[in-house]
Structure formats: structure tokens, C-alpha cells
Amino acid sequence: AVLFAIARGFGFSKYIESWFMEALSSQPQAAEAIVGFVNSYLVHTHSGVILGIGLLFMLWTVLMLIHNIETAFNNIWQVKEQRPWIRKITDYLAMFFLAPIFIVLQSGISIFVATIAKEMDEYMLLGPVVRSAINFMPYVLISGVFIILYMFMPNTRVKFKDVVIPGILAGVAMQLLQFFYIHSQMFLSGYNAIYGSFAALPLFMLWVQLSWTICLFGAQLAYTSQNLDEFAFLATPEQLSHNGKMRYCAILMNRICQHFKQDEPHPTALQLKQETGIPIRVVKALLNELVELRLLSTNVSGDGDKDYTYQPHSSLEHCNMGKLIDTLDQNSKGNSTQRIQVDELKGKWEDVIRLRKEYIDRLRDIPISDL
């Protein structure tokens, strides 16, 4: 609806509508229903008392939709920090204002190339080449869209060379999905006979599901490509025992404290992986948790890579094994949300609590930087 509204403001509504119908050529009934819904929605939104409320609601819906997409990409890239809301609004609206212009330019280029192709039919060599280029254009355009999406949607630095192949694979897969659906209509004729026009809805939802599966798979492939040298495919934070998690946290904090103690540049997650040999996914997950527990703090590296560096949250004297183990124990995911009060525990429980306190107090005498 926002795309159509902006296109009408520029006078591009006919181009956008024809492009939309072509993009959903495998779902003609769904495309007609969506265009009809959008037109009626815009009529009601731009008229009457609820003009301002309707516009705000429409823009808010778009912002939240793209926010969810960004969140999914950030989860794949293990990025905890979202874009500031000011950047979200400016970036997303800029994208929607540029999209109609891009679509019109694409339509103009397609018409220009098609005109040239007709003139080239007389040439034995150039004619087939130009026709092949026209048939190949949808693959190039959709692959370009995926490459741009994989580069700019995650809130981290993504290298261009690592998204080219995933973008091309996702684009080709999307076109093959379209091709398969269009040419499988004959097998769905019985389905259409039973459900009539309503059959377009579940088929359209299936098409949307498969399309986003392809998109997210390409994003996962881009993440793997950029982290291939450091990637451990079978290692995940969920596979760690609590004891193993404490050991890894101690090792990571020790390396960070050593850098801080020797006045060296603060390490990134990749540097810590290379120094410790711990899988990169485990490193990032544990570092994010240590930051949330205020045992570590982060800074953005000054080289423009948007990579986070890590340093102790407090002085080295307060970074000790007792504080680390006590903090991790108290914030363990397995802990019950309803904690038992200490004064409710009598008898031998008092000895257990006293011994644990002595154990933690003794560990507080061991600085992590001295491990």
C-alpha cells in the first residue's frame, strides 16, 4: 500500500501495478485480489476523518514489517544491537521512496532492450544473443536485489564478496520456484476445481513461505561464507554444559583482561576465536551474555568495520573467578524464576549455603587476568 501510494505521488501508479502483476505472474488471482485491496484501502485511508490515523497506521505497519526482517537477519548474524529508531525510519522510508523509481527504471530498460531485440532479429549472431540477454535479465535483477538485501539489512559489516554467490543462488532459486509453480498449474487443476477461487489463498501463502525460506537460507549462506575460516558447523552454545560454559567464559575473559592489562587493542570476537580456538558461534553467544551480565563492555572498532571490541566492565581487581562463577550461577537459564529465600532453608541446608559462600569467597582471591 505504501509503495502504491508513493508511486501515485510520482505518477508511476500504472507502471507499479503492471510490474506487480508481472512479479506475481505465478499467482494471478492473488495479485488481482491484492491490487484491489490496496486500491480500496488507499481510498479509505486518504479520505474521511481518519486520514491522519490511517496514514500513521499504514507507515507503522511497514516499519514493523521491515523491523521483523532486520531482526531475523540480525539473529542469523548474531547481532544483538538493533539500528536506532531514527535510522530505521530514515532508512526504511528512503528505501520505499527509491523503490518506485527503481521499478520504473527497470521497466524502461526492459522496454529499451526489447525494442533493440526486435531490430536485431535480422542479425544471425546478435539476435539470439540479445534474446538470451532478455531471458537472463530477471535472474540478474532478482540476484541484485538479494545481494543488496544481504549486504545492508544486517546491522553489521557484510563483505560484498561473501554475498555475491549466496545472492545469485537465492535469485536463481526464486526464479526456479516461479517457473515450477507456473508450469505445475495443470497438476493443480483438480485442487482449483474443489476450492474454486479460494485455492489461490493457500497456494499464495505456500509461495510466500518458500520464498522467505530461500531468502533466509541465502542469508545463512552469506554468514557462513564470511565466517568460513572460523566456522564450526557442529558447535552451538546450546550443546555446552554449565561447567563447560563457565570454563569458556573464564578463558574468554582471561584473554580480554590480558589485552587490557598489557595495554593492547581490545580484541574482537574473531580475534578471541583465533586466540582460544573456541568456535565462533560459541564465542559470540558467550560474549553477548557476558555483556548483558555487565561483566564485559563493548566499543565499536575505529576502522569502520562495525566490529565490536570487548573490554572488562570493571577494574581488573574486581574481575575474579568468584564473581564470574557467582554471576553465571545466579543468571543460569535453568534457574527457577521463583527463588527460595535463604531464611527458609534450615538444618543441613545452612551448611551447604555456608560451604558454597566460602567456596565463592576463596575464588574471589583469584584474578581472572592471572589464570
Side-chain angles (χ1 to χ4, degrees):
V2 172
L3 193 65
F4 273 63
I6 295 173
R8 286 184 179 180
F10 285 107
F12 298 155
S13 56
K14 294 298 182 182
Y15 292 100
I16 301 299
E17 186 170 333
S18 61
W19 168 84
F20 187 80
M21 299 294 291
E22 182 181 354
L24 289 179
S25 57
S26 61
Q27 302 281 346
Q29 291 176 309
E32 292 175 3
I34 292 174
V35 170
F37 170 76
V38 167
N39 288 328
S40 62
Y41 179 73
L42 290 178
V43 169
H44 289 290
T45 302
H46 291 281
S47 63
V49 181
I50 62 170
L51 170 62
I53 299 176
L55 288 174
L56 290 176
F57 180 77
M58 186 170 64
L59 292 174
W60 176 252
T61 305
V62 170
L63 291 177
M64 291 307 299
L65 168 65
I66 308 182
H67 168 75
N68 288 337
I69 299 172
E70 180 186 345
T71 300
F73 275 62
N74 285 341
N75 288 339
I76 291 175
W77 284 87
Q78 293 186 292
V79 177
K80 293 293 183 182
E81 186 172 338
Q82 299 278 350
R83 285 181 173 89
W85 273 104
I86 297 297
R87 275 201 59 198
K88 286 179 184 290
I89 294 173
T90 55
D91 292 353
Y92 297 166
L93 292 182
M95 175 171 40
F96 270 89
F97 273 102
L98 291 175
I101 299 175
F102 172 78
I103 293 170
V104 172
L105 289 176
Q106 173 199 333
S107 302
I109 293 173
S110 301
I111 295 173
F112 176 73
V113 174
T115 304
I116 294 178
K118 290 182 180 179
E119 297 178 356
M120 292 294 179
D121 285 340
E122 301 176 359
Y123 296 90
M124 185 179 300
L125 180 61
L126 291 179
V129 171
V130 173
R131 284 194 297 272
S132 300
I134 293 176
N135 295 331
F136 196 64
M137 274 187 62
Y139 293 88
V140 175
L141 291 173
I142 192 65
S143 298
V145 170
F146 277 117
I147 290 173
I148 294 173
L149 190 68
Y150 295 153
M151 277 198 66
F152 296 105
M153 187 56 73
N155 189 28
T156 186
R157 179 176 180 267
V158 182
K159 299 177 181 177
F160 176 76
K161 65 182 182 66
D162 294 316
V163 299
V164 172
I165 293 179
I168 293 174
L169 291 177
V172 172
M174 188 70 73
Q175 288 298 118
L176 292 178
L177 175 63
Q178 289 273 66
F179 179 84
F180 172 78
Y181 184 85
I182 292 173
H183 289 79
S184 62
Q185 288 293 330
M186 63 179 67
F187 300 105
L188 301 174
S189 56
Y191 186 77
N192 293 333
I194 296 173
Y195 294 100
S197 60
F198 183 74
L201 180 59
L203 293 177
F204 176 70
M205 294 177 68
L206 177 63
W207 177 81
V208 171
Q209 173 72 25
L210 293 175
S211 299
W212 278 111
T213 301
I214 292 171
C215 178
L216 294 175
F217 174 77
Q220 181 70 61
L221 196 60
Y223 172 82
T224 306
S225 176
Q226 183 160 318
N227 297 277
L228 191 59
D229 294 337
E230 305 84 29
F231 206 83
F233 292 93
L234 300 179
T236 60
E238 293 76 16
Q239 294 175 335
L240 291 178
S241 65
H242 184 64
N243 191 33
K245 177 181 174 180
M246 286 193 296
R247 288 202 305 269
Y248 280 162
C249 287
I251 293 172
L252 292 173
M253 286 200 64
N254 170 257
R255 296 309 308 154
I256 293 170
C257 290
Q258 287 290 337
H259 280 271
F260 188 82
K261 185 177 182 179
Q262 298 172 13
D263 199 23
E264 296 176 349
H266 302 156
T268 63
L270 176 57
Q271 291 173 333
L272 290 170
K273 186 274 165 192
Q274 293 171 341
E275 293 179 9
T276 62
I278 302 174
I280 188 66
R281 281 190 176 272
V282 177
V283 170
K284 288 188 175 181
L286 295 181
L287 289 176
N288 289 332
E289 184 172 350
L290 291 172
V291 170
E292 291 176 0
L293 297 177
R294 301 178 68 83
L295 294 172
L296 296 176
S297 59
T298 60
N299 287 312
V300 179
S301 60
D303 54 4
D305 286 348
K306 289 187 180 179
D307 285 338
Y308 287 101
T309 60
Y310 297 87
Q311 65 184 41
H313 187 271
S314 55
S315 61
L316 294 181
E317 292 76 13
H318 292 88
C319 293
N320 53 71
M321 283 299 300
K323 181 178 179 180
L324 173 63
I325 294 177
D326 192 33
T327 304
L328 290 176
D329 282 344
Q330 291 183 14
N331 293 273
S332 174
K333 292 182 180 179
N335 283 358
S336 173
T337 55
Q338 297 180 347
R339 299 185 183 276
I340 300 175
Q341 298 297 325
V342 175
D343 55 6
E344 297 177 6
L345 302 175
K346 304 296 183 182
K348 289 296 183 181
W349 278 111
E350 295 177 339
D351 294 335
V352 172
I353 295 171
R354 177 179 53 80
L355 290 173
R356 185 186 183 281
K357 186 176 182 303
E358 293 176 358
Y359 159 71
I360 294 296
D361 289 340
R362 292 183 64 183
L363 286 175
R364 293 185 190 277
D365 296 331
I366 303 178
I368 294 179
S369 59
D370 292 346
L371 293 177

